[in-house]
Structure formats: structure tokens, C-alpha cells
Amino acid sequence: MNEAKPQDGSKVKGYRTLNEKDIANMNRLKEISRQFIAQLDFLNDGENCPRWLAIAKTDMQTACMAACRAVAQPDNDC
């Protein structure tokens, strides 16, 4: 699992500073995503369709990214 390093004072254009609640919400979303993807990996045992498992994984990653953007609220052009 990757974690962000403490901010060094530089700013990324288009993003706001997240508060503790925002960070907790994003971390919870990411944990839910990790659990779901772990279940998909468990199901990838040769008995289930790997194509649909891959689609499910991609869709979960997309859903997690969209939910995190809902919390982070970056500018529309980011």
C-alpha cells in the first residue's frame, strides 16, 4: 500500500487542502476498494471468468477514483 508523504509546502494546482475528515473518508473508500479487489483476486482461481473479473476490478478502481474525487473536490479541469 502506498501512502502520501507529508506535504513540503508546495501546492498542486487545482487541488484544495484536505481536512482530517476528508482524509478519513478517502482512506475508508480506498480500504473498501482494496477489500473488494482482494475478493476478486480470490475468485480468480480458474473456475470463474477472468475477463469479467478483470472488468469488475477496473470498474471498482474507477468507482473508487470517482468517489475520492467527490470527497477531494478538485477543480473541473483536473
Side-chain angles (χ1 to χ4, degrees):
M1 172 175 65
N2 295 326
E3 290 188 22
K5 302 273 188 218
Q7 298 265 338
D8 64 2
S10 61
K11 298 230 177 205
V12 177
K13 292 181 182 180
Y15 287 85
R16 65 185 179 88
T17 301
L18 300 177
N19 61 38
E20 291 299 318
K21 182 180 176 186
D22 296 330
I23 292 168
N25 285 334
M26 289 179 70
N27 284 333
R28 180 70 181 128
L29 289 166
K30 289 175 177 287
E31 181 57 31
I32 292 166
S33 179
R34 282 187 197 93
Q35 290 174 7
F36 187 83
I37 289 172
Q39 181 63 31
L40 295 176
D41 291 341
F42 176 78
L43 292 172
N44 196 8
D45 59 3
E47 292 184 26
N48 300 295
C49 179
R51 177 177 175 264
W52 282 109
L53 291 171
I55 291 169
K57 182 176 181 178
T58 300
D59 287 352
M60 183 67 227
Q61 291 168 326
T62 302
C64 184
M65 178 180 58
C68 285
R69 285 182 62 88
V71 173
Q73 300 175 29
D75 292 346
N76 287 333
D77 60 350
C78 291

